[in-house]
PDB file of all heavy atoms in Angstrom:
ATOM      1  N   GLY Y   1       0.785  -1.193  -0.013  1.00 89.00           N
ATOM      2  CA  GLY Y   1       0.021   0.027   0.033  1.00 89.00           C
ATOM      3  C   GLY Y   1       0.900   1.276  -0.022  1.00 89.00           C
ATOM      4  O   GLY Y   1       1.128   1.929   1.017  1.00 89.00           O
ATOM      5  N   ILE Y   2       1.312   1.606  -1.164  1.00 93.00           N
ATOM      6  CA  ILE Y   2       2.253   2.841  -1.259  1.00 93.00           C
ATOM      7  C   ILE Y   2       1.883   3.533  -2.526  1.00 93.00           C
ATOM      8  O   ILE Y   2       1.126   3.135  -3.463  1.00 93.00           O
ATOM      9  CB  ILE Y   2       3.683   2.361  -1.262  1.00 93.00           C
ATOM     10  CG1 ILE Y   2       4.001   1.439  -2.485  1.00 93.00           C
ATOM     11  CG2 ILE Y   2       4.106   1.763   0.048  1.00 93.00           C
ATOM     12  CD1 ILE Y   2       5.444   1.102  -2.631  1.00 93.00           C
ATOM     13  N   SER Y   3       2.509   4.746  -2.643  1.00 93.00           N
ATOM     14  CA  SER Y   3       2.463   5.513  -3.866  1.00 93.00           C
ATOM     15  C   SER Y   3       3.950   5.579  -4.433  1.00 93.00           C
ATOM     16  O   SER Y   3       4.796   5.924  -3.627  1.00 93.00           O
ATOM     17  CB  SER Y   3       1.840   6.909  -3.737  1.00 93.00           C
ATOM     18  OG  SER Y   3       0.495   6.740  -3.455  1.00 93.00           O
ATOM     19  N   ILE Y   4       4.060   5.513  -5.710  1.00 93.00           N
ATOM     20  CA  ILE Y   4       5.410   5.557  -6.330  1.00 93.00           C
ATOM     21  C   ILE Y   4       5.435   6.736  -7.279  1.00 93.00           C
ATOM     22  O   ILE Y   4       4.465   6.990  -8.004  1.00 93.00           O
ATOM     23  CB  ILE Y   4       5.767   4.261  -7.090  1.00 93.00           C
ATOM     24  CG1 ILE Y   4       5.819   3.110  -6.145  1.00 93.00           C
ATOM     25  CG2 ILE Y   4       7.150   4.413  -7.853  1.00 93.00           C
ATOM     26  CD1 ILE Y   4       6.041   1.797  -6.883  1.00 93.00           C
ATOM     27  N   ASP Y   5       6.516   7.437  -7.276  1.00 94.00           N
ATOM     28  CA  ASP Y   5       6.652   8.639  -8.176  1.00 94.00           C
ATOM     29  C   ASP Y   5       7.194   8.109  -9.495  1.00 94.00           C
ATOM     30  O   ASP Y   5       8.441   7.861  -9.617  1.00 94.00           O
ATOM     31  CB  ASP Y   5       7.601   9.676  -7.569  1.00 94.00           C
ATOM     32  CG  ASP Y   5       7.634  10.924  -8.467  1.00 94.00           C
ATOM     33  OD1 ASP Y   5       7.022  10.971  -9.443  1.00 94.00           O
ATOM     34  OD2 ASP Y   5       8.442  11.820  -8.135  1.00 94.00           O
ATOM     35  N   LEU Y   6       6.381   8.069 -10.478  1.00 95.00           N
ATOM     36  CA  LEU Y   6       6.810   7.615 -11.890  1.00 95.00           C
ATOM     37  C   LEU Y   6       6.843   8.768 -12.783  1.00 95.00           C
ATOM     38  O   LEU Y   6       6.901   8.576 -14.060  1.00 95.00           O
ATOM     39  CB  LEU Y   6       5.899   6.468 -12.407  1.00 95.00           C
ATOM     40  CG  LEU Y   6       5.976   5.160 -11.610  1.00 95.00           C
ATOM     41  CD1 LEU Y   6       4.969   4.141 -12.240  1.00 95.00           C
ATOM     42  CD2 LEU Y   6       7.390   4.569 -11.644  1.00 95.00           C
ATOM     43  N   SER Y   7       6.790   9.974 -12.307  1.00 93.00           N
ATOM     44  CA  SER Y   7       6.728  11.128 -13.116  1.00 93.00           C
ATOM     45  C   SER Y   7       7.982  11.361 -13.961  1.00 93.00           C
ATOM     46  O   SER Y   7       7.905  11.924 -15.077  1.00 93.00           O
ATOM     47  CB  SER Y   7       6.403  12.478 -12.371  1.00 93.00           C
ATOM     48  OG  SER Y   7       7.441  12.648 -11.338  1.00 93.00           O
ATOM     49  N   PRO Y   8       9.096  10.815 -13.526  1.00 94.00           N
ATOM     50  CA  PRO Y   8      10.349  10.904 -14.405  1.00 94.00           C
ATOM     51  C   PRO Y   8      10.286  10.115 -15.676  1.00 94.00           C
ATOM     52  O   PRO Y   8      11.038  10.300 -16.637  1.00 94.00           O
ATOM     53  CB  PRO Y   8      11.506  10.412 -13.496  1.00 94.00           C
ATOM     54  CG  PRO Y   8      11.013  10.662 -12.118  1.00 94.00           C
ATOM     55  CD  PRO Y   8       9.571  10.355 -12.226  1.00 94.00           C
ATOM     56  N   VAL Y   9       9.229   9.136 -15.748  1.00 95.00           N
ATOM     57  CA  VAL Y   9       9.129   8.323 -16.933  1.00 95.00           C
ATOM     58  C   VAL Y   9       8.651   9.217 -18.083  1.00 95.00           C
ATOM     59  O   VAL Y   9       7.777  10.015 -17.856  1.00 95.00           O
ATOM     60  CB  VAL Y   9       8.215   7.111 -16.692  1.00 95.00           C
ATOM     61  CG1 VAL Y   9       7.953   6.367 -18.020  1.00 95.00           C
ATOM     62  CG2 VAL Y   9       8.792   6.198 -15.669  1.00 95.00           C
ATOM     63  N   LEU Y  10       9.223   9.011 -19.296  1.00 95.00           N
ATOM     64  CA  LEU Y  10       8.799   9.748 -20.464  1.00 95.00           C
ATOM     65  C   LEU Y  10       7.901   8.890 -21.274  1.00 95.00           C
ATOM     66  O   LEU Y  10       8.422   7.900 -21.890  1.00 95.00           O
ATOM     67  CB  LEU Y  10       9.973  10.310 -21.261  1.00 95.00           C
ATOM     68  CG  LEU Y  10       9.640  10.954 -22.617  1.00 95.00           C
ATOM     69  CD1 LEU Y  10       8.870  12.268 -22.336  1.00 95.00           C
ATOM     70  CD2 LEU Y  10      10.891  11.215 -23.428  1.00 95.00           C
ATOM     71  N   PRO Y  11       6.607   9.140 -21.329  1.00 96.00           N
ATOM     72  CA  PRO Y  11       5.761   8.330 -22.179  1.00 96.00           C
ATOM     73  C   PRO Y  11       5.777   8.855 -23.640  1.00 96.00           C
ATOM     74  O   PRO Y  11       5.593  10.069 -23.871  1.00 96.00           O
ATOM     75  CB  PRO Y  11       4.389   8.345 -21.559  1.00 96.00           C
ATOM     76  CG  PRO Y  11       4.396   9.695 -20.848  1.00 96.00           C
ATOM     77  CD  PRO Y  11       5.827  10.056 -20.503  1.00 96.00           C
ATOM     78  N   VAL Y  12       5.813   8.033 -24.619  1.00 96.00           N
ATOM     79  CA  VAL Y  12       5.667   8.344 -26.049  1.00 96.00           C
ATOM     80  C   VAL Y  12       4.665   7.328 -26.637  1.00 96.00           C
ATOM     81  O   VAL Y  12       4.867   6.095 -26.561  1.00 96.00           O
ATOM     82  CB  VAL Y  12       7.028   8.270 -26.811  1.00 96.00           C
ATOM     83  CG1 VAL Y  12       6.805   8.682 -28.333  1.00 96.00           C
ATOM     84  CG2 VAL Y  12       8.005   9.226 -26.129  1.00 96.00           C
ATOM     85  N   CYS Y  13       3.662   7.826 -27.312  1.00 97.00           N
ATOM     86  CA  CYS Y  13       2.624   6.985 -27.806  1.00 97.00           C
ATOM     87  C   CYS Y  13       2.778   6.770 -29.331  1.00 97.00           C
ATOM     88  O   CYS Y  13       3.303   7.717 -30.028  1.00 97.00           O
ATOM     89  CB  CYS Y  13       1.276   7.551 -27.566  1.00 97.00           C
ATOM     90  SG  CYS Y  13       0.832   7.877 -25.877  1.00 97.00           S
ATOM     91  N   PHE Y  14       2.429   5.528 -29.822  1.00 96.00           N
ATOM     92  CA  PHE Y  14       2.291   5.326 -31.264  1.00 96.00           C
ATOM     93  C   PHE Y  14       0.891   4.751 -31.543  1.00 96.00           C
ATOM     94  O   PHE Y  14       0.475   3.907 -30.751  1.00 96.00           O
ATOM     95  CB  PHE Y  14       3.313   4.302 -31.615  1.00 96.00           C
ATOM     96  CG  PHE Y  14       4.737   4.709 -31.612  1.00 96.00           C
ATOM     97  CD1 PHE Y  14       5.493   4.782 -30.425  1.00 96.00           C
ATOM     98  CD2 PHE Y  14       5.356   5.180 -32.750  1.00 96.00           C
ATOM     99  CE1 PHE Y  14       6.793   5.237 -30.427  1.00 96.00           C
ATOM    100  CE2 PHE Y  14       6.627   5.761 -32.721  1.00 96.00           C
ATOM    101  CZ  PHE Y  14       7.379   5.747 -31.551  1.00 96.00           C
ATOM    102  N   SER Y  15       0.231   5.334 -32.437  1.00 94.00           N
ATOM    103  CA  SER Y  15      -1.142   4.970 -32.672  1.00 94.00           C
ATOM    104  C   SER Y  15      -1.502   5.223 -34.135  1.00 94.00           C
ATOM    105  O   SER Y  15      -0.753   5.684 -34.971  1.00 94.00           O
ATOM    106  CB  SER Y  15      -2.079   5.808 -31.776  1.00 94.00           C
ATOM    107  OG  SER Y  15      -2.085   7.192 -32.171  1.00 94.00           O
ATOM    108  N   ASP Y  16      -2.828   4.848 -34.401  1.00 85.00           N
ATOM    109  CA  ASP Y  16      -3.369   5.092 -35.722  1.00 85.00           C
ATOM    110  C   ASP Y  16      -4.934   5.119 -35.597  1.00 85.00           C
ATOM    111  O   ASP Y  16      -5.488   4.597 -34.678  1.00 85.00           O
ATOM    112  CB  ASP Y  16      -2.940   4.076 -36.679  1.00 85.00           C
ATOM    113  CG  ASP Y  16      -3.334   4.348 -38.148  1.00 85.00           C
ATOM    114  OD1 ASP Y  16      -3.574   5.597 -38.427  1.00 85.00           O
ATOM    115  OD2 ASP Y  16      -3.483   3.430 -38.956  1.00 85.00           O
ATOM    116  N   GLY Y  17      -5.558   5.621 -36.634  1.00 83.00           N
ATOM    117  CA  GLY Y  17      -6.984   5.474 -36.706  1.00 83.00           C
ATOM    118  C   GLY Y  17      -7.689   6.041 -35.591  1.00 83.00           C
ATOM    119  O   GLY Y  17      -7.465   7.211 -34.977  1.00 83.00           O
ATOM    120  N   GLU Y  18      -8.667   5.279 -35.059  1.00 87.00           N
ATOM    121  CA  GLU Y  18      -9.551   5.675 -33.892  1.00 87.00           C
ATOM    122  C   GLU Y  18      -8.695   5.994 -32.617  1.00 87.00           C
ATOM    123  O   GLU Y  18      -9.077   6.785 -31.811  1.00 87.00           O
ATOM    124  CB  GLU Y  18     -10.615   4.706 -33.655  1.00 87.00           C
ATOM    125  CG  GLU Y  18     -11.651   4.582 -34.780  1.00 87.00           C
ATOM    126  CD  GLU Y  18     -12.322   5.928 -34.979  1.00 87.00           C
ATOM    127  OE1 GLU Y  18     -12.696   6.591 -33.939  1.00 87.00           O
ATOM    128  OE2 GLU Y  18     -12.550   6.330 -36.088  1.00 87.00           O
ATOM    129  N   TRP Y  19      -7.648   5.172 -32.434  1.00 94.00           N
ATOM    130  CA  TRP Y  19      -6.846   5.406 -31.251  1.00 94.00           C
ATOM    131  C   TRP Y  19      -6.256   6.852 -31.229  1.00 94.00           C
ATOM    132  O   TRP Y  19      -6.159   7.462 -30.170  1.00 94.00           O
ATOM    133  CB  TRP Y  19      -5.718   4.336 -31.159  1.00 94.00           C
ATOM    134  CG  TRP Y  19      -6.177   2.934 -30.945  1.00 94.00           C
ATOM    135  CD1 TRP Y  19      -5.884   1.871 -31.758  1.00 94.00           C
ATOM    136  CD2 TRP Y  19      -7.078   2.438 -29.930  1.00 94.00           C
ATOM    137  NE1 TRP Y  19      -6.544   0.748 -31.208  1.00 94.00           N
ATOM    138  CE2 TRP Y  19      -7.246   1.055 -30.192  1.00 94.00           C
ATOM    139  CE3 TRP Y  19      -7.714   3.080 -28.875  1.00 94.00           C
ATOM    140  CZ2 TRP Y  19      -8.057   0.339 -29.352  1.00 94.00           C
ATOM    141  CZ3 TRP Y  19      -8.474   2.269 -28.021  1.00 94.00           C
ATOM    142  CH2 TRP Y  19      -8.716   0.883 -28.293  1.00 94.00           C
ATOM    143  N   THR Y  20      -5.823   7.374 -32.338  1.00 94.00           N
ATOM    144  CA  THR Y  20      -5.313   8.617 -32.425  1.00 94.00           C
ATOM    145  C   THR Y  20      -6.339   9.679 -32.013  1.00 94.00           C
ATOM    146  O   THR Y  20      -6.084  10.623 -31.274  1.00 94.00           O
ATOM    147  CB  THR Y  20      -4.815   9.006 -33.856  1.00 94.00           C
ATOM    148  OG1 THR Y  20      -3.721   8.056 -34.182  1.00 94.00           O
ATOM    149  CG2 THR Y  20      -4.287  10.393 -33.972  1.00 94.00           C
ATOM    150  N   LYS Y  21      -7.505   9.501 -32.527  1.00 94.00           N
ATOM    151  CA  LYS Y  21      -8.629  10.455 -32.226  1.00 94.00           C
ATOM    152  C   LYS Y  21      -8.898  10.473 -30.771  1.00 94.00           C
ATOM    153  O   LYS Y  21      -9.138  11.585 -30.182  1.00 94.00           O
ATOM    154  CB  LYS Y  21      -9.866  10.068 -32.967  1.00 94.00           C
ATOM    155  CG  LYS Y  21      -9.818  10.236 -34.449  1.00 94.00           C
ATOM    156  CD  LYS Y  21     -11.062   9.806 -35.187  1.00 94.00           C
ATOM    157  CE  LYS Y  21     -10.960   9.959 -36.679  1.00 94.00           C
ATOM    158  NZ  LYS Y  21     -12.255   9.483 -37.379  1.00 94.00           N
ATOM    159  N   ARG Y  22      -8.745   9.290 -30.034  1.00 95.00           N
ATOM    160  CA  ARG Y  22      -9.087   9.246 -28.589  1.00 95.00           C
ATOM    161  C   ARG Y  22      -7.875   9.743 -27.789  1.00 95.00           C
ATOM    162  O   ARG Y  22      -8.102   9.958 -26.564  1.00 95.00           O
ATOM    163  CB  ARG Y  22      -9.451   7.780 -28.279  1.00 95.00           C
ATOM    164  CG  ARG Y  22     -10.594   7.238 -28.985  1.00 95.00           C
ATOM    165  CD  ARG Y  22     -10.989   5.812 -28.600  1.00 95.00           C
ATOM    166  NE  ARG Y  22     -11.379   5.781 -27.108  1.00 95.00           N
ATOM    167  CZ  ARG Y  22     -11.683   4.634 -26.507  1.00 95.00           C
ATOM    168  NH1 ARG Y  22     -11.767   3.537 -27.235  1.00 95.00           N
ATOM    169  NH2 ARG Y  22     -11.983   4.678 -25.199  1.00 95.00           N
ATOM    170  N   LEU Y  23      -6.737   9.925 -28.420  1.00 96.00           N
ATOM    171  CA  LEU Y  23      -5.646  10.446 -27.588  1.00 96.00           C
ATOM    172  C   LEU Y  23      -5.423  11.998 -27.839  1.00 96.00           C
ATOM    173  O   LEU Y  23      -4.558  12.579 -27.129  1.00 96.00           O
ATOM    174  CB  LEU Y  23      -4.377   9.718 -28.005  1.00 96.00           C
ATOM    175  CG  LEU Y  23      -4.306   8.270 -27.590  1.00 96.00           C
ATOM    176  CD1 LEU Y  23      -3.102   7.487 -28.308  1.00 96.00           C
ATOM    177  CD2 LEU Y  23      -4.131   8.160 -26.013  1.00 96.00           C
ATOM    178  N   GLU Y  24      -6.105  12.518 -28.741  1.00 95.00           N
ATOM    179  CA  GLU Y  24      -5.850  13.886 -29.109  1.00 95.00           C
ATOM    180  C   GLU Y  24      -6.110  14.893 -27.924  1.00 95.00           C
ATOM    181  O   GLU Y  24      -5.469  15.969 -27.926  1.00 95.00           O
ATOM    182  CB  GLU Y  24      -6.855  14.333 -30.272  1.00 95.00           C
ATOM    183  CG  GLU Y  24      -6.299  13.816 -31.616  1.00 95.00           C
ATOM    184  CD  GLU Y  24      -7.274  14.205 -32.705  1.00 95.00           C
ATOM    185  OE1 GLU Y  24      -8.447  14.244 -32.487  1.00 95.00           O
ATOM    186  OE2 GLU Y  24      -6.758  14.329 -33.825  1.00 95.00           O
ATOM    187  N   ASP Y  25      -6.959  14.548 -27.037  1.00 93.00           N
ATOM    188  CA  ASP Y  25      -7.235  15.509 -25.850  1.00 93.00           C
ATOM    189  C   ASP Y  25      -6.159  15.485 -24.879  1.00 93.00           C
ATOM    190  O   ASP Y  25      -6.167  16.443 -23.995  1.00 93.00           O
ATOM    191  CB  ASP Y  25      -8.600  15.112 -25.213  1.00 93.00           C
ATOM    192  CG  ASP Y  25      -8.692  13.731 -24.650  1.00 93.00           C
ATOM    193  OD1 ASP Y  25      -7.827  12.915 -25.095  1.00 93.00           O
ATOM    194  OD2 ASP Y  25      -9.414  13.548 -23.667  1.00 93.00           O
TER     195      ASP Y  25
END
């Protein structure tokens, strides 16, 4: 039962089609 700071992780997404539309926001 803890919280971990993962904010240093850099997320980069790869997508297409409908997934792209859902990630635009």
Side-chain angles (χ1 to χ4, degrees):
I2 58 174
S3 291
I4 299 178
D5 182 5
L6 294 180
S7 61
V9 173
L10 174 65
V12 179
C13 303
F14 289 85
S15 68
D16 188 25
E18 290 302 316
W19 294 126
T20 299
K21 294 179 182 178
R22 296 182 65 179
L23 291 169
E24 285 178 328
D25 64 333

